[in-house]
Amino acid sequence: IIQLEGVWKIYQMGDVQVPALRGIDLKIERGEFLAIAGASGSGKSTMMNLIGCLDLPSKGRIFLGGDDIAGFGESTLAQIRGQKIGFVFQQFNLIPTLTALENVMLPLEFQNVDTSTARKKALEILNLVGLGDRVHHLPSQLSGGEQQRVAISRALAVDPEIILADEPTGNLDSKTGKFILDFFSEIHRKDSKTIIIVTHDFYLVKHAERVVYLKDGQVERIEHNHKN
Amino acid sequence: IIQLEGVWKIYQMGDVQVPALRGIDLKIERGEFLAIAGASGSGKSTMMNLIGCLDLPSKGRIFLGGDDIAGFGESTLAQIRGQKIGFVFQQFNLIPTLTALENVMLPLEFQNVDTSTARKKALEILNLVGLGDRVHHLPSQLSGGEQQRVAISRALAVDPEIILADEPTGNLDSKTGKFILDFFSEIHRKDSKTIIIVTHDFYLVKHAERVVYLKDGQVERIEHNHKN
Ligand SMILES: Nc1ncnc2c1ncn2[C@@H]1O[C@H](COP(=O)(O)OP(=O)(O)OP(=O)(O)O)[C@@H](O)[C@H]1O
Ligand SMILES: Nc1ncnc2c1ncn2[C@@H]1O[C@H](COP(=O)(O)OP(=O)(O)OP(=O)(O)O)[C@@H](O)[C@H]1O
Ligand SMILES: [Mg+2]
Ligand SMILES: [Mg+2]
């Protein structure tokens, strides 16, 4: 469902070039549960932003469902981001002036879901991740791990086919972290979602079907987990 | 060196009260290496903010070096924060308009260290944490783990006696994370620093002398690691 072909991302800083991705070839199957690992600065978030259609490569091509995303207009990309892809950002990117509930309702409202249905769905997910009694808190009134769980809830709100999660358990204790990972495994299994998770979490790496290791902007190796 | 006596922190939200800390009694010895663990939302960051003199308790008392901090004026508190305590924030709190180098130099400049000495010291620490080639990047031009390492560098810049680190490896791969933890162990051993780290990291918990577990705003238990 997603393919990267000779993908480069080069950041230009004055006269200096920072090549964050240096020739990535990767094919991700529909319904796959994939982990992305690698050292800090190896290019994981950069790759996630490209897969999530938030950015375009400097060289190479990215295909989504067989189509080259470079050919998509902004409104098509916006629709993909709004409906097909749920993105959990490494730094959460919550709207500081909206409550947890409002933050999770936002993507639903952008898809023209009526307010009471959006509210009901948002409350359901927030309750699932253990934030039922924090729904009216602003991000500044939430702990780090609570903000992370709001970001996770927001990504799941529109029930997207593809979930991109950038270090979704970095701020969670191991018990809450396992709960989130088991939840991802469950929707992967039950709803056949394509799940791509950047993680340093050993438990998660073991649960993925494949693990792509990045090093200095390149694919260093890919491991396959043999599971039943 | 630090003592919490019957400490409560209650957040007021309209008519609702959120008791983040519910009666904490804790004594931390000078030169101790202490870990704080507990579920997301259990009160760890709140406790760190009180220990770091960034906030005052709703009830109870906090002693620093034997003195009740409630008796300190703002300029004394500012001096303590600027010289005695190095704080690594869970969400980094870097100045977005300053480069990595400028962010790390800032606490030194506040202590009236001359610019060339501040620059030299900042570069030294940034090199140590592997960011030598990222010193002129703005936070927005850095990966999550790189921003976290800038936050760590900034906390260490003034060579404080007390280091408070709130989940300092949450965004780091295990190799970089171990490096940071070994570095904290080294300055603990060599410079007899008091180090208090909030963490979910198993490696770190094992390396601490004591581990304080928080649950729902209270100390659930304290474990002692017997080491040589
Ligand atoms: N300004 C605030 N107003 C209201 N409630 C708050 C505020 N700040 C924090 N809280 C609540 O206090 C509780 C403790 O927060 P704290 O940040 O100390 O948790 P934590 O143990 O650091 O969690 P995490 O591991 O997720 O970072 C949380 O449940 C949070 O929702
Ligand atoms: N806007 C930018 N301008 C210049 N360099 C950048 C920019 N954004 C990222 N970089 C650099 O690109 C490299 C890859 O960044 P990326 O965020 O993809 O890393 P990462 O693998 O997600 O790391 P982490 O595990 O620390 O989050 C980093 O070394 C970073 O400094
Ligand atoms: Mg990243
Ligand atoms: Mg916290």
Side-chain angles (χ1 to χ4, degrees):
Chain A
I1 188 173
I2 296 164
Q3 184 162 354
L4 281 72
E5 196 178 85
V7 166
W8 283 70
K9 181 69 188 178
I10 301 169
Y11 292 109
Q12 193 73 41
M13 287 179 61
D15 330 319
V16 180
Q17 286 196 333
V18 179
L21 293 177
R22 304 187 293 134
I24 301 284
D25 292 305
L26 183 64
K27 212 181 225 172
I28 300 167
E29 303 299 329
R30 184 180 290 277
E32 185 171 0
F33 193 131
L34 181 80
I36 300 174
S40 170
S42 56
K44 307 179 296 296
S45 297
T46 300
M47 191 163 92
M48 290 288 268
N49 288 340
L50 295 178
I51 292 171
C53 301
L54 290 164
D55 200 1
L56 289 171
S58 312
K59 299 183 205 169
R61 294 188 291 172
I62 297 177
F63 299 89
L64 192 59
D67 302 317
D68 186 339
I69 68 171
F72 291 158
E74 183 50 34
S75 69
T76 309
L77 287 173
Q79 191 176 23
I80 290 168
R81 282 182 228 125
Q83 293 178 0
K84 290 201 181 316
I85 298 174
F87 207 131
V88 185
F89 295 94
Q90 188 170 6
Q91 316 244 9
F92 319 151
N93 297 2
L94 300 179
I95 312 279
T97 47
L98 298 182
T99 64
L101 180 61
E102 291 164 340
N103 263 287
V104 177
M105 285 172 69
L106 209 58
L108 290 162
E109 291 177 313
F110 279 148
Q111 295 307 316
N112 296 318
V113 172
D114 65 276
T115 304
S116 79
T117 306
R119 187 185 179 89
K120 186 158 166 288
K121 178 76 189 165
L123 282 170
E124 188 182 318
I125 306 175
L126 284 165
N127 266 301
L128 210 78
V129 298
L131 294 178
D133 55 359
R134 292 287 182 267
V135 300
H136 300 303
H137 284 229
L138 294 172
S140 60
Q141 296 169 323
L142 292 170
S143 78
E146 289 168 345
Q147 291 178 44
Q148 193 157 35
R149 283 179 276 160
V150 175
I152 291 166
S153 305
R154 182 181 60 180
L156 298 169
V158 297
D159 199 29
E161 349 171 333
I162 301 168
I163 292 171
L164 304 179
D166 197 348
E167 301 192 34
T169 61
N171 282 279
L172 298 174
D173 56 284
S174 52
K175 182 154 170 281
T176 311
K178 276 204 181 72
F179 176 84
I180 294 293
L181 275 15
D182 290 344
F183 178 71
F184 280 146
S185 296
E186 180 67 5
I187 60 177
H188 168 245
R189 195 187 57 77
K190 193 159 65 62
D191 307 331
S192 306
K193 293 197 184 296
T194 305
I195 303 196
I196 304 167
I197 307 191
V198 170
T199 186
H200 302 310
D201 193 312
F202 189 68
Y203 181 79
L204 211 159
V205 161
K206 285 278 148 269
H207 271 67
E209 294 167 336
R210 276 196 304 166
V211 186
V212 173
Y213 289 88
L214 291 190
K215 183 177 182 182
D216 298 326
Q218 297 187 314
V219 174
E220 181 194 33
R221 68 185 195 278
I222 299 182
E223 290 179 357
H224 290 76
N225 283 331
H226 298 291
K227 311 169 61 228
N228 303 322
Chain B
I1 188 174
I2 297 164
Q3 183 164 354
L4 282 73
E5 196 178 86
V7 167
W8 284 69
K9 182 69 188 179
I10 302 170
Y11 292 110
Q12 193 75 40
M13 289 179 60
D15 330 321
V16 180
Q17 286 196 333
V18 179
L21 294 176
R22 302 187 295 134
I24 301 285
D25 292 305
L26 183 64
K27 212 181 221 172
I28 300 166
E29 302 300 327
R30 184 179 292 276
E32 188 174 355
F33 194 131
L34 182 81
I36 299 175
S40 170
S42 56
K44 306 179 296 296
S45 297
T46 300
M47 190 162 95
M48 290 289 268
N49 287 340
L50 294 179
I51 292 170
C53 301
L54 292 164
D55 199 5
L56 290 171
S58 311
K59 298 181 204 174
R61 295 188 290 173
I62 296 177
F63 299 88
L64 192 59
D67 302 317
D68 186 337
I69 67 171
F72 291 159
E74 183 50 34
S75 68
T76 310
L77 288 172
Q79 190 176 23
I80 290 168
R81 281 182 231 126
Q83 294 176 0
K84 290 201 180 313
I85 298 175
F87 207 131
V88 185
F89 295 94
Q90 186 170 7
Q91 317 243 6
F92 319 153
N93 297 1
L94 299 180
I95 312 280
T97 46
L98 299 182
T99 64
L101 179 61
E102 291 164 339
N103 264 287
V104 177
M105 285 172 71
L106 209 59
L108 290 162
E109 292 176 312
F110 279 147
Q111 295 307 315
N112 296 320
V113 171
D114 65 276
T115 304
S116 77
T117 307
R119 188 186 178 88
K120 186 160 166 288
K121 179 75 187 166
L123 284 170
E124 188 182 315
I125 306 175
L126 284 164
N127 267 299
L128 209 79
V129 298
L131 293 178
D133 57 358
R134 291 284 181 268
V135 300
H136 300 302
H137 285 230
L138 294 172
S140 59
Q141 298 169 324
L142 293 170
S143 77
E146 289 168 344
Q147 291 178 43
Q148 191 155 38
R149 283 179 277 162
V150 175
I152 291 166
S153 304
R154 181 180 62 180
L156 297 170
V158 297
D159 199 29
E161 351 172 331
I162 301 169
I163 293 171
L164 304 181
D166 197 346
E167 300 193 35
T169 61
N171 282 280
L172 298 175
D173 55 283
S174 53
K175 183 154 168 279
T176 312
K178 277 205 179 71
F179 176 84
I180 293 293
L181 274 14
D182 290 343
F183 178 72
F184 280 146
S185 294
E186 181 68 6
I187 60 178
H188 168 246
R189 195 187 56 77
K190 193 159 65 61
D191 307 332
S192 306
K193 294 197 184 296
T194 306
I195 304 196
I196 304 168
I197 309 191
V198 170
T199 186
H200 301 309
D201 193 313
F202 188 68
Y203 181 79
L204 209 160
V205 161
K206 284 279 151 272
H207 272 67
E209 294 166 338
R210 278 196 302 165
V211 187
V212 174
Y213 289 88
L214 292 191
K215 183 177 183 182
D216 298 326
Q218 297 186 315
V219 174
E220 182 193 32
R221 70 185 194 278
I222 299 182
E223 290 180 357
H224 289 75
N225 283 331
H226 298 291
K227 313 170 54 227
N228 301 321

